[in-house]
Amino acid sequence: MTEPKPFVDIRNAQKSYGALEVLKDISLQVARGEIVAIIGPSGSGKSTLLRAINDLDPLTGGEVWLEDTQINKKLPHRQYEKHINQVRQNIGMVFQHFNLFPHLSVRENVTLAPKLVKRLSEDEAEELAREQLEKVGLIDRIDYYPSRLSGGQKQRVAIARALAMKPKVMLFDEATSALDPELVEEVNLVMKKLAEEHMTMIIVTHEMGFAETVCDRVIFMDKGVVVEEGPPSRIFRNPDNERTQNFLRKHLANANR
Amino acid sequence: MDFDLMLRVYPFFIEAAWITLQLSVLTTLLGLACGTLGAMARLSRLRIFRMIGAVYVSVFRGTPALIQLFILYFGGPQIGIQLDAFTAGVIGLGVNIGAYMTETMRGAIIAIDRGQTEAARTVGLSRFQTMRYVILPQAARLMIRPLGVNINALIKGTALVAAISVVELTYTAQRFIGSTYKPFEMFMISGALYMIIIYATGRGIAWLDRRARIV
């Protein structure tokens, strides 16, 4: 069997703020349908790497590809805007702080981009919204405004909003870190459902349990480099690298406190 | 207090209040237009527009409105701009308050969390769509109260155009003082009428603000 062509391909990613190097020459390939967790201490560059994939935090060096398209192309402003708006439709993103649009209802949050960007009719957008809200289990909240939802519900709406664009890959930037512990599970369940549907997902997380049960591969990052990567069973049970061992030990100690 | 005199002259003050009201409304509209353009310039991606916006704000906030009015009304004819006093008053005050409104609007826009822009851009909205459908609807709500403060200042600022002989509340008071020698009564009438206009405007702003909040 030949190695399948990577779906998301990060080549020699570098990012620095002045003298501070946040990403030091990182390469990472993700296959179609693969679920990858990125873990590591805060400041390790994992969020920066994730946000480089859809060019929210542009790299200072290296390339990011989705299938046959280079995402971070250097183009004149107008062309770049057109290009990036096109590319981003294929990349869903879920943020730590949900970032729902507070002035819009749940329905409008989900239908805004399909209507504006994909030019769907009101009816088509409505159907799409219902489908996605059904999936995240919030169809009964379709007329609510975000202020009336719990954190877990907000995050599920945010996932529905991203899914409504029919993305090819989903990025999760600490999607459950801002949630009360009892609300984490409902979001995890939705993410597991996506995993079962073979959505390609790249997940920055602090939840080792979730990473272990759901992900195909775990990347451990520290100080802007990938220290170690492998299947979750090995990374969590039997990591090679001392930094990984230390991180996991500290993390478990905190989690059990 | 000479109530008889006040009763005799008050119809002239009502007429003057009407002029003050017209000045206030037109100045507000021009100010909002200048403020919108100014805020857009200040937040532009292009340096040249940002600079134009910054210069506009610092010039018009950095000099007395009275001087600006004098330059326009008295200095204007020297460079071929001939305006009647009322028009000069509206333009002078409107462009002046527009500089304050520029900063009010800019402040409201940049107060919207960056995450909103990021979320909008990641689902594929363009810069313009993000501004139009995500940022401005939220910023507009934040602007109502502070723009109300600008409008409050502007209404009181219309008194300045008495200096270029627009027959509004302040000018009318001064004119009657010339013939009656009763400054206390005359300024009391003017002041009361200003207060009525400002109070009513304040209630209107508060109403708008409440309505915008109901989501």
Side-chain angles (χ1 to χ4, degrees):
Chain A
M1 207 181 96
T2 54
E3 187 76 3
K5 211 173 139 208
F7 196 54
V8 178
D9 192 358
I10 302 169
R11 303 176 189 164
N12 308 103
Q14 291 160 27
K15 171 91 182 175
S16 41
Y17 297 100
L20 179 71
E21 275 187 286
V22 185
L23 300 176
K24 300 169 187 163
D25 201 37
I26 290 188
S27 291
L28 174 65
Q29 282 78 39
V30 178
R32 182 192 290 271
E34 194 180 13
I35 299 160
V36 174
I38 306 177
I39 61 169
S42 51
S44 59
K46 53 194 193 306
S47 277
T48 309
L49 181 67
L50 193 77
R51 290 161 57 86
I53 294 174
N54 61 5
D55 220 25
L56 266 190
D57 274 347
L59 294 174
T60 38
E63 296 178 358
V64 184
W65 291 71
L66 176 65
E67 291 183 292
D68 298 319
T69 312
Q70 187 185 349
I71 294 166
N72 63 338
K73 262 194 261 190
K74 294 275 168 283
L75 291 169
H77 179 73
R78 271 168 193 279
Q79 285 172 48
Y80 169 81
E81 284 290 311
K82 227 180 134 179
H83 157 78
I84 201 71
N85 291 339
Q86 191 64 43
V87 168
R88 281 179 179 155
Q89 295 176 37
N90 297 318
I91 309 174
M93 186 159 198
V94 176
F95 302 87
Q96 183 177 359
H97 296 288
F98 332 127
N99 299 347
L100 288 183
F101 308 132
H103 61 301
L104 300 178
S105 68
V106 166
R107 169 189 284 108
E108 292 164 331
N109 264 278
V110 180
T111 57
L112 184 71
K115 283 199 291 197
L116 286 177
V117 182
K118 291 196 167 167
R119 305 260 161 230
L120 293 194
S121 71
E122 201 70 49
D123 289 346
E124 290 168 320
E126 171 79 16
E127 195 182 326
L128 184 66
R130 292 188 159 274
E131 184 190 321
Q132 300 310 330
L133 288 169
E134 204 83 66
K135 182 176 283 176
V136 301
L138 286 173
I139 190 70
D140 56 326
R141 296 287 188 273
I142 191 165
D143 290 315
Y144 280 45
Y145 279 89
S147 57
R148 293 185 54 202
L149 301 178
S150 71
Q153 291 172 332
K154 282 181 192 168
Q155 195 59 297
R156 284 148 67 197
V157 172
I159 293 172
R161 175 177 67 181
L163 291 176
M165 291 305 280
K166 306 278 180 192
K168 295 175 176 170
V169 52
M170 286 284 285
L171 311 177
F172 292 86
D173 192 2
E174 301 193 19
T176 54
S177 299
L179 296 176
D180 291 338
E182 73 271 21
L183 301 177
V184 168
E185 197 48 34
E186 62 184 73
V187 174
N188 281 347
L189 279 175
V190 171
M191 289 170 71
K192 276 181 191 157
K193 209 169 183 179
L194 288 179
E196 283 157 17
E197 294 170 8
H198 304 290
M199 172 65 83
T200 310
M201 299 200 270
I202 305 175
I203 302 168
V204 168
T205 186
H206 287 296
E207 275 192 82
M208 304 307 152
F210 181 78
E212 184 163 5
T213 48
V214 176
C215 299
D216 301 313
R217 185 153 55 111
V218 176
I219 315 281
F220 173 68
M221 278 180 71
D222 190 18
K223 297 185 180 135
V225 296
V226 173
V227 175
E228 189 168 1
E229 64 173 296
S233 51
R234 191 182 67 70
I235 297 287
F236 289 120
R237 302 271 158 72
N238 196 11
D240 293 332
N241 191 288
E242 199 183 329
R243 276 199 271 175
T244 317
Q245 291 162 5
N246 281 334
F247 171 75
L248 288 172
R249 195 178 309 125
K250 271 186 209 152
H251 205 90
L252 283 176
N254 282 334
N256 292 334
R257 204 156 36 191
Chain B
M1 257 209 302
D2 188 343
F3 287 107
D4 275 353
L5 176 65
M6 286 167 85
L7 274 174
R8 259 185 295 135
V9 297
Y10 94 85
F12 297 97
F13 280 87
I14 297 293
E15 238 172 273
W18 174 234
I19 299 292
T20 292
L21 195 62
Q22 286 176 2
L23 272 170
S24 301
V25 170
L26 293 173
T27 302
T28 300
L29 293 178
L30 180 60
L32 288 171
C34 290
T36 306
L37 287 176
M40 278 165 57
R42 293 276 275 143
L43 294 167
S44 170
R45 194 176 58 81
L46 300 172
R47 209 176 121 83
I48 178 77
F49 286 119
R50 289 203 303 274
M51 277 173 59
I52 292 170
V55 168
Y56 167 56
V57 169
S58 45
V59 166
F60 283 89
R61 291 202 313 186
T63 54
L66 191 61
I67 298 293
Q68 294 164 23
L69 269 180
F70 283 169
I71 289 174
L72 181 65
Y73 185 66
F74 297 120
Q78 254 179 285
I79 53 166
I81 303 170
Q82 206 113 29
L83 298 169
D84 64 84
F86 183 86
T87 311
V90 168
I91 293 176
L93 292 178
V95 174
N96 174 268
I97 204 71
Y100 291 88
M101 287 178 167
T102 292
E103 289 301 277
T104 302
M105 292 181 175
R106 175 175 161 270
I109 290 168
I110 60 179
I112 303 299
D113 185 65
R114 244 186 81 76
Q116 292 289 308
T117 303
E118 291 184 351
R121 296 308 305 274
T122 49
V123 282
L125 266 61
S126 67
R127 278 171 66 97
F128 175 79
Q129 288 171 329
T130 300
M131 192 46 98
R132 162 76 182 75
Y133 294 99
V134 176
I135 305 303
L136 282 183
Q138 297 182 56
R141 280 154 220 216
L142 290 184
M143 282 174 203
I144 296 172
R145 289 257 171 199
L147 282 177
V149 174
N150 292 147
I151 291 169
N152 176 299
L154 158 175
I155 296 171
K156 290 178 285 193
T158 59
L160 291 175
V161 300
I164 58 171
S165 65
V166 178
V167 188
E168 43 64 80
L169 277 172
T170 304
Y171 186 86
T172 301
Q174 286 168 341
R175 207 178 54 174
F176 278 105
I177 293 160
S179 53
T180 62
Y181 302 103
K182 301 271 189 183
F184 186 79
E185 282 85 348
M186 297 305 131
F187 282 132
M188 282 297 277
I189 302 178
S190 280
L193 289 169
Y194 274 118
M195 204 171 152
I196 289 169
I197 294 173
I198 285 167
Y199 180 76
T201 310
R203 294 306 299 251
I205 300 282
W207 176 79
L208 267 179
D209 186 59
R210 264 198 317 277
R211 239 180 69 116
R213 257 165 227 281
I214 300 169
V215 178

